[in-house]
Amino acid sequence: QMELVESGGGSVQAGGSLRLSCVASGHTYNGRSDYCMGWFRQAPGKQREGVAVIDSDGTTSYKDSVKGRFTISKDNAKNTLYLQMNSLKPEDTAMYYCGASTLGWYSCLRHEFNYRGQGTQVTISS
């Protein structure tokens, strides 16, 4: 089993920044790096939506509405995935989840992760 633990959420005003972190561990993880990871979010009453994904070779993909504002990255030495969020908007308010997939890049592009964390809340006030 792979465990993912998110942190870094909080409440900020519109225009502000937050950096989310997701630490990976566990038997299934065991230091392997041949999986893709990503962030997705869900707001109350709304469907889950993918935000950004990153492949093992560093290839990234973003939801259109966050391009230019959010940056996904990972530090393999620290087993940590990051999401730097700048110029935040009230519509970015949601629970943010980290996910990992051992099923290939296209599963990540579809935000179909076989592992996910418990989430961290992001609230943006206007």
Side-chain angles (χ1 to χ4, degrees):
Q1 187 71 12
M2 182 186 298
E3 287 79 45
L4 302 172
V5 180
E6 303 96 334
S7 62
S11 298
V12 298
Q13 290 190 326
S17 298
L18 285 171
R19 188 176 80 155
L20 306 184
S21 299
C22 170
V23 179
S25 63
H27 174 74
T28 303
Y29 168 68
N30 198 27
R32 62 185 294 180
S33 61
D34 60 335
Y35 51 87
C36 54
M37 298 186 74
W39 294 93
F40 60 97
R41 65 189 184 189
Q42 187 162 22
K46 294 186 178 181
Q47 288 192 338
R48 187 178 86 173
E49 58 180 12
V51 175
V53 290
I54 185 167
D55 204 357
S56 56
D57 66 356
T59 300
T60 59
S61 180
Y62 295 91
K63 175 181 174 61
D64 284 346
S65 64
V66 307
K67 286 180 181 177
R69 299 190 298 123
F70 292 9
T71 303
I72 188 171
S73 62
K74 64 176 185 172
D75 185 333
N76 289 332
K78 296 182 178 180
N79 305 327
T80 303
L81 176 74
Y82 300 101
L83 184 68
Q84 177 67 43
M85 306 187 293
N86 299 326
S87 303
L88 284 160
K89 303 176 180 180
E91 51 264 43
D92 295 318
T93 295
M95 184 71 80
Y96 282 69
Y97 300 89
C98 165
S101 174
T102 59
L103 305 177
W105 177 236
Y106 289 102
S107 73
C108 268
L109 286 177
R110 295 189 299 268
H111 296 275
E112 296 172 353
F113 304 106
N114 46 341
Y115 300 99
R116 54 172 278 183
Q118 294 300 307
T120 185
Q121 178 67 39
V122 171
T123 303
I124 311 303
S125 58
S126 58

